[in-house]
Structure formats: structure tokens, C-alpha cells
Amino acid sequence: MSPEQPLWQEILGGESKTLELKGQLPKGNQLAKTLIAFANSSGGKLVLGVNDQRQIAGVQTDEFELMDQIASIAHDQCHPSLMPTIYLETLQGKTLVVIQVYRGSQLPYHLRAKGRDAGTYIRLGATNRQASLEMIHELERQRLHQSFDEQTAWDASLQTLELAPLQRAFEQAGKPLSTARMRSLKLIRTEQGQDYPSHGLMILLGQYEQVEIKCSRFKGTNMTVFLDKKEYRGDLFSQLEGSEAFIKNHLHLKAEIHGLQRTETYEIPIPAIREALVNAVVHRDYSNAGRDIKVGIYDDIVNIVSPGGLPNGLTLGDALAGRSEIRNKVIARVFRELGYIEQWGSGMARIRDLCQQAGSDAPTFAETGDFFDIEFHRTEAAATGGSIGGEIGGEIGGEKVVQAKLTHRQQAVLALIEQNPRMTHQEMAAQLGINASALQKHLNKLKAAGAIERIGGTRGYWKVNV
């Protein structure tokens, strides 16, 4: 066996958004769930004959009967029916069955027995997740090649909207905002002879609760203690300005003298920060209320997290290679018109190039569950570094400070609760890949630290205090 064999390299990398490994054929409807999740997401491969330690064990039953069984499951249990590519591959002298599923065109795919609302699954990281109703609607829009921000905001009145921030942005770009331009950009939709704003216009003006950027400066290298916090609402342009100013306020300046000239530069190039903020605003998922963009500044990194992950089946490798998929077509057109975007698909490459030109470390890009992360590595750690342990209490800048050292797992639990305060124990445990008792220990630790509290009983929700 050649160590360069592509499938072997994929197996060594472990399970991912596009790869699942099983020792034998999954029982019940688990195989159908995986095939559906791949078809609704970025496609992928399910490899049978690899154990939990990524060792090649081979399939233990008749390969051809197994392939027929898989084809029947894909046809009978999935709706619309799937036709995956099923083939055999030999590694280390043992036979594997590979099931290749491509992203489908008849979205959303679901379990025939459960129906669309309860039987639709998507791939998040290396797990299959039941799709929320918002995600199902997004998959339907993708099938129709529509975006949420292009659709009509039926409950809004165009006459009562304050358009001044948008008009100002266009005037600064030397492009007056006429009614005709607003129609061509799909900011205005005419339905049954009456003009309505699109969701895109409402988002640009900051009219929805989820249109927000939350910025925090934490002490040390985790979310245990925060030193400063700001929440920016209103139109997207003022949010970008406020967020950039917040980040600048918490970065170090370094001074260099060339001849008689003294120049000061930030430890992370501001154009790269600005590009990352624009990317987050343009490409995030606005269809799901209750989620926002978060900027976290730590002693070692600046982290920008936007909800929604990569759009329309895009993988991280695709995005880094320059492939572009636009989730928010109206917002993207406006930002392109105003010069915030130079060319489609260039954002990540531009961020990397700007950091390289400034002599900064390359940023880290990651898709974590249903979020997209950009981490800028700070060149000068703050003098206060480290995490804080001890008692709960105190205030900094008028805000409550929780002083307790949290593990990475507890931080992950906290992030899930922030994403969905009503998420059940079972859902959290499944997403984290741990059992219920281990999850309960993490929740108890977070409650003891004052990081979270339970509001209501079994039908209540979690409140985050940090």
C-alpha cells in the first residue's frame, strides 16, 4: 500500500465534515441519516471497514451483498431518493466499502419515515445534526437559488425606515442612492403594486435583533474574566466602525524610527482586521434570530466568530482556495458597490497577504460547528496574561466578573448555550461527543463559577452571565 494513497491520507486525518468512518454497516436509520446529512451539506464519504482507532479492519460480510443493501437504504429510506457512488477499495490487503455522496440539487433531503420537518439532517463538523426549521428553509432557498436577504420583509414599512445611514454610505462612495438603484440592488421589492423593503435593506439598517456585533476584551487567554465589553447595533457601517475602534483600543502599538520619521503600527495589521470584520458581516447567517457576531480579544489572539459556518456546501479547503459562495446576495452586492469587497472569493487570501506583508503570523481559519472563526495571533502578549482562578465577584468597568478557571470543554459548553439557551442536555452532549454525566459535571462547574444560571425548570432556559 502506498502511503500517498488518497483514501489512506483521508482516513489518517480522521472524521470531518466530509468523512465518516465505520467498522461495519450502521444499524437502523443511522446510515440514511449520514447520507442525507452529506447530501444537504458539502457531500462526503462514508468508509466501512475502519475501526474507532482508524485501523483498517476490512468489512466482514459479503461485499456485494453489502453494496446492494446500502443502495436499497439510500433509495428506500431517503427522500428524495439518493443514488450514491458505492465502490470497493483495498488497503493493507483488506477490503473497504466506500460510499460517496455528492451535494444534492433537490434540497432538503430527509428520512422518508419522519418527513421533512423531523427527518432533515445536516453535517456539522464530524457529526450529523437534525436541522432546525430555519435551516430547512435555508436549504429550500438554496434549491431555488434564492437568499434570505433577497426576500420581502412583509411586516416592515418602507415609509417608516430611516435611510440616512445607507444614503450617506453611497454618497461617500460618489454614488447617490436613487430609488432606481435601490430596486436594482433588490433593497426594494414590489409586491402586488406596493413597495416593501427586502430583508437585505432591513439588515443593512440594523432593524433586526440579530444584526449586532458583541466585542469583549478578556483577561488572560480564555473567557474567564472580561475587562471591557461593547455591543454595537444600528446600521452595519457604524457597527463596523465601532468594532474596528474597539479592537484598535485593545491592541499594542509599536513604534519604529526611520531617519527622522517615527511610524507607529499595530501588532496586527488593521486592514486585515477590517477585511475580517467585513467578511463576517457579509457572509454570516442572518436568517436565525438570536445569534450575532462576536469579537473576543485575549492576551494571545483576536478572535472573530460569525454564525452560520460556510455557506451552500462550501468546505474550508474550497474557501481557502478562493472559491466563492454568496449567502447574502443583497448585502454582498451593496458592499461590492461601495468598495468594501474587491473581488469575490478574495477575502481569506487578502487577510493572509496583509498579515504576511506586515510581518505578522498567518491567521487561523476554522469552521467550528455552525460558526466560522478567524484567529489573529498577537505578536505582543499583554502583560496581565494567564487565567484567573479563585472566588466569584467584583466588577471591572461596571460589569460582573466571573473568576474561575474554565477548561476548553467548559468553554465549548458555554458557547453552545450562547448559541441556543434552550438547547437540551441530550443535544449538547451529542454535539460535544460526550455522555450525559460528563456534560452534567461541566454544567455544575459553570453554575458554581457563576458563569450560567438556570431560569425556570425543565422547560426553562440557560442564562449566560459572562
Side-chain angles (χ1 to χ4, degrees), residues 186-314:
K186 298 189 178 179
L187 296 168
I188 295 177
R189 304 301 303 254
T190 302
E191 305 285 352
Q192 301 175 354
Q194 183 174 345
D195 287 343
Y196 292 89
S198 66
H199 288 307
L201 178 56
M202 299 291 285
I203 291 166
L204 286 162
L205 297 176
Q207 294 295 306
Y208 295 146
E209 63 173 346
Q210 67 266 35
V211 184
E212 180 179 17
I213 303 178
K214 292 180 179 176
C215 299
S216 301
R217 169 61 171 112
F218 296 99
K219 183 180 178 66
T221 58
N222 57 40
M223 295 187 292
T224 303
V225 179
F226 59 79
L227 304 175
D228 191 12
K229 182 169 75 170
K230 293 284 191 304
E231 297 179 358
Y232 296 98
R233 299 183 178 90
D235 65 274
L236 290 185
F237 311 105
S238 64
Q239 287 189 31
L240 286 170
E241 291 175 7
S243 302
E244 182 181 327
F246 182 93
I247 295 172
K248 283 181 178 178
N249 192 45
H250 292 287
L251 292 182
H252 296 298
L253 276 170
K254 54 184 179 182
E256 295 180 348
I257 304 213
H258 301 282
L260 299 177
Q261 295 288 335
R262 172 189 171 95
T263 60
E264 291 185 336
T265 57
Y266 288 94
E267 56 182 304
I268 300 171
I270 296 304
I273 293 283
R274 189 177 301 125
E275 185 79 23
L277 288 170
V278 168
N279 273 10
V281 163
V282 170
H283 296 300
R284 61 153 290 189
D285 179 10
Y286 288 100
S287 65
N288 193 339
R291 304 200 299 173
D292 43 49
I293 295 171
K294 288 183 172 60
V295 176
I297 303 175
Y298 305 82
D299 286 358
D300 55 342
I301 62 169
V302 173
N303 184 213
I304 299 174
V305 183
S306 55
L310 291 167
N312 303 352
L314 200 66

Side-chain angles (χ1 to χ4, degrees), residues 17-70:
K17 184 177 182 179
T18 57
L19 180 68
E20 184 156 319
L21 307 173
K22 294 293 182 184
Q24 57 189 354
L25 186 68
K27 296 180 180 179
N29 59 17
Q30 293 306 308
L31 172 64
K33 286 182 181 180
T34 298
L35 302 183
I36 286 167
F38 281 151
N40 283 331
S41 303
S42 305
K45 290 178 185 174
L46 191 153
V47 183
L48 301 180
V50 182
N51 65 24
D52 293 342
Q53 289 73 45
R54 303 180 202 168
Q55 296 170 334
I56 308 300
V59 293
Q60 305 302 314
T61 59
D62 183 272
E63 298 92 339
F64 298 104
E65 287 186 8
L66 188 58
M67 293 169 73
D68 289 342
Q69 190 177 353
I70 293 165

Side-chain angles (χ1 to χ4, degrees), residues 47 52 72 76 149 154 255 276 400 402 422:
V47 183
D52 293 342
S72 295
D76 298 339
D149 64 342
W154 293 99
K400 181 179 178 182
V402 178
R422 295 186 183 274

Side-chain angles (χ1 to χ4, degrees), residues 87-144:
Y87 59 93
L88 303 177
E89 189 150 339
T90 301
L91 291 180
Q92 299 179 1
K94 296 176 182 176
T95 301
L96 304 179
V97 175
V98 182
I99 310 160
Q100 173 81 61
V101 179
Y102 296 96
R103 177 172 165 82
S105 59
Q106 301 181 65
L107 306 169
Y109 294 85
H110 59 268
L111 287 173
R112 192 184 298 272
K114 287 193 172 184
R116 189 204 66 165
D117 290 0
T120 300
Y121 291 83
I122 56 173
R123 191 78 173 170
L124 288 181
T127 63
N128 304 321
R129 283 270 306 279
Q130 184 178 342
S132 64
L133 193 57
E134 291 86 358
M135 176 52 70
I136 293 171
H137 291 160
E138 173 62 20
L139 291 170
E140 290 174 335
R141 284 191 292 268
Q142 291 174 20
R143 185 187 73 238
L144 299 172

